[in-house]
Amino acid sequence: MHHFAYRRGVSQANVLHAEEVDLSDLAAAVGTPFYCYSTATLERHYRVFVEAFAGIPDTLVCYSVKANSSLGVLATLGRAGAGMDVVSEGELRRALAVDVPPAKIVFSGVGKTRAEMAFALDRGIFAFNVESEPELRALSEVADARGAVARIAFRVNPDVDAKTHHKIATGKAENKFGVPFAEAPSLYGLAKELPGIEATGVHMHIGSQITDLSPFRNAFALLHELVGTLRAEGATIGFVNLGGGLGIPYRSDQPEPPRPADYARLVAEEVGDLGVRLLFEPGRMIAGNAGILVSRVLYVKHGASKTFTIVDAAMNDLMRPTLYEAYHEILPVTAPEPGTRTIVTDVAGPVCETGDYLALSRPLPELRAGDLISVMTAGAYGAVLASEYNSRLLVPEVLVAGDRYSVMRPRPSYDDMLAKERLPNWL
Ligand code: LLP
């Protein structure tokens, strides 16, 4: 469910709108390519996720900032009540900049530096998700030196196959994430001895874009067992963080993935009796369908064996098709006239790489130079992964709310791009 739909525009044609904003008008005002996010969709997804857990007494939903860290997106979710899951001082500073209470922030990641730990401790975040023994010792030292105690959850690796793309599976033993399940009890024992640590939580995150609930069920059952073991050994476990990972629909021609309510039922069944505070770290589920990438067709090129629709957005603006073989639906911004031919085409950008494409062999209504397209479900892991590769300007981000819009990150100028660098003094 999202708020991008065709409506009659001023020209009477059916034009794709973001809420009440005509995307062809927006393209004329902002230029292309640009990302566009819907406030109504962000708020709705957050609400649906929270409400799915209404039957569970103590929950905290920490939006995973890495999915989309635009300040306007964070502020929208923060005002709706979301906590945040951050993985760097930069993300933490973003969350704090939009007044998310530190008590609603958790800090994940396998490579936190001591400086990042100190910064987070001084701000008083809720908890650290600790991923190794050396990290635990470093955190204890940093906390102790400041007269503080770090509340932590060990991120445990259950060695479960999340049945997702191999680059976004995190819960197998061969992945760098978390501490081995079997070593968890002795690590909680060690944590008790360390002066700067209070280990009262357990964390797990097995992967992303998970569309089959069975890996969650297997992992949560293991976690339930682990909490029993830890308690039997004298640990006090007051919170459990189940991570993120719930998949979203990218294609309208495929079965819908499980809904938050299905996931919530499973959570209640597997860990509902633990008597703990439950935390979640959804990213994609909140932001994915709340964003699109709008681009303009530059040329239609007829190759020897294929047609290439060359657009002004490229792999540097949206990496997902190249990086994860991801499928993103593509819609023409102006709905095609009845009787328009469907052709099969690659949709590719101007970057000088064969891997630069947004879609391969895609049936689409025939497009012409100057037409606008919308790449759907680009709100999560879209703009955050963008770069200036090929010295292309970083793509702007626009937030819509009803009939209003704001260019939250304007397109830089070429002077801005060059001004970020310094020549060595010997050149
Ligand atoms: N918590 C932790 C510890 C994570 O590592 C992640 C995502 C999340 C929560 C949020 O997961 P989500 O609910 O969004 O699935 N760039 C990739 C996805 C990378 C996910 C990284 N970790 C993509 O575009 O598919």
Side-chain angles (χ1 to χ4, degrees):
M1 164 68 202
H2 58 71
H3 296 78
F4 300 99
Y6 288 102
R7 297 176 170 209
R8 292 236 165 262
V10 189
S11 63
Q12 286 306 301
N14 251 331
V15 180
L16 199 60
H17 283 58
E19 303 188 23
E20 287 156 46
V21 176
D22 178 318
L23 286 168
S24 61
D25 293 344
L26 195 51
V30 178
T32 54
F34 65 93
Y35 277 97
C36 175
Y37 311 128
S38 155
T39 300
T41 312
L42 287 166
E43 290 176 343
R44 180 175 193 280
H45 286 178
Y46 172 71
R47 211 174 44 243
V48 166
F49 196 87
V50 169
E51 283 171 4
F53 295 98
I56 298 181
D58 188 7
T59 57
L60 176 62
V61 175
C62 295
Y63 164 69
S64 196
V65 173
K66 66 174 81 66
N68 185 322
S69 56
S70 169
L71 289 179
V73 168
L74 300 186
T76 301
L77 294 169
R79 289 192 194 160
M84 307 265 153
D85 155 47
V86 302
V87 292
S88 67
E89 181 173 330
E91 286 191 352
L92 177 51
R93 284 180 183 268
R94 283 178 177 273
L96 296 173
V98 297
D99 297 326
V100 175
K104 288 189 181 176
I105 297 178
V106 293
F107 196 158
S108 313
V110 293
K112 301 172 199 80
T113 65
R114 286 171 186 253
E116 288 180 314
M117 291 169 178
F119 182 82
L121 279 165
D122 291 350
R123 300 303 173 291
I125 64 163
F126 177 69
F128 293 82
N129 296 325
V130 169
E131 306 225 15
S132 66
E133 183 183 328
E135 182 197 337
L136 179 76
R137 292 185 185 277
L139 180 58
S140 177
E141 281 170 25
V142 173
D144 196 34
R146 339 180 71 72
V149 174
R151 188 180 302 112
I152 73 141
F154 279 106
R155 176 175 180 174
V156 290
N157 182 324
D159 195 18
V160 162
D161 181 357
K163 299 190 200 153
T164 184
H165 190 275
H166 68 278
K167 283 189 187 151
I168 53 176
T170 55
K172 287 288 285 170
E174 68 257 30
N175 301 135
K176 71 177 175 182
F177 298 101
V179 300
F181 213 79
E183 289 171 27
S186 70
L187 284 168
Y188 280 87
L190 168 65
K192 240 192 240 165
E193 313 297 312
L194 297 177
I197 300 290
E198 177 196 295
T200 47
V202 182
H203 175 239
M204 195 180 252
H205 172 79
I206 60 171
S208 195
Q209 186 54 16
I210 300 171
T211 54
D212 172 352
L213 289 181
S214 63
F216 283 126
R217 190 178 288 285
N218 297 338
F220 297 166
L222 285 166
L223 187 145
H224 188 277
E225 206 178 299
L226 176 66
V227 171
T229 308
L230 296 173
R231 284 179 170 164
E233 292 180 2
T236 306
I237 300 299
F239 70 99
V240 161
N241 181 338
L242 297 175
L246 191 59
I248 61 169
Y250 278 92
R251 310 180 61 140
S252 47
D253 61 349
Q254 285 190 354
E256 290 244 329
R259 289 164 183 272
D262 306 320
Y263 172 76
R265 206 168 308 116
L266 179 147
V267 166
E269 283 164 16
E270 295 299 332
V271 296
D273 65 345
L274 285 176
V276 291
R277 176 177 218 203
L278 282 184
L279 275 69
F280 303 93
E281 300 170 342
R284 191 188 311 266
M285 158 68 216
I286 307 286
N289 270 313
I292 59 172
L293 173 63
V294 178
S295 175
R296 198 177 285 281
V297 176
L298 297 173
Y299 305 105
V300 177
K301 172 175 170 173
H302 297 286
S305 66
K306 267 192 153 177
T307 297
F308 301 95
T309 302
I310 309 293
V311 300
D312 63 4
M315 64 184 284
N316 70 297
D317 304 310
L318 179 63
M319 285 273 276
R320 302 196 69 260
T322 309
L323 207 50
Y324 314 110
E325 289 86 35
Y327 182 103
H328 285 263
E329 215 162 279
I330 293 180
L331 297 177
V333 167
T334 302
E337 300 285 336
T340 304
R341 279 200 311 157
T342 295
I343 61 158
V344 174
T345 180
D346 283 10
V347 179
V351 162
C352 299
E353 292 222 27
T354 305
D356 174 31
Y357 55 80
L358 301 174
L360 293 178
S361 301
R362 183 71 60 86
L364 282 178
E366 192 165 23
L367 293 160
R368 286 187 310 237
D371 288 350
L372 291 166
I373 60 162
S374 168
V375 184
M376 307 305 289
T377 321
Y381 309 109
V384 283
L385 281 165
S387 76
E388 291 181 334
Y389 184 41
N390 277 204
S391 288
R392 290 166 50 81
L393 297 173
L394 213 51
V395 61
E397 293 177 274
V398 179
L399 183 66
V400 164
D403 60 0
R404 291 174 298 171
Y405 74 85
S406 161
V407 183
M408 301 185 292
R409 186 175 70 189
R411 194 184 313 279
S413 67
Y414 286 106
D415 285 340
D416 294 335
M417 186 174 81
L418 296 177
K420 286 190 299 190
E421 291 181 38
R422 300 282 173 273
L423 269 181
N425 62 8
W426 64 87
L427 292 176

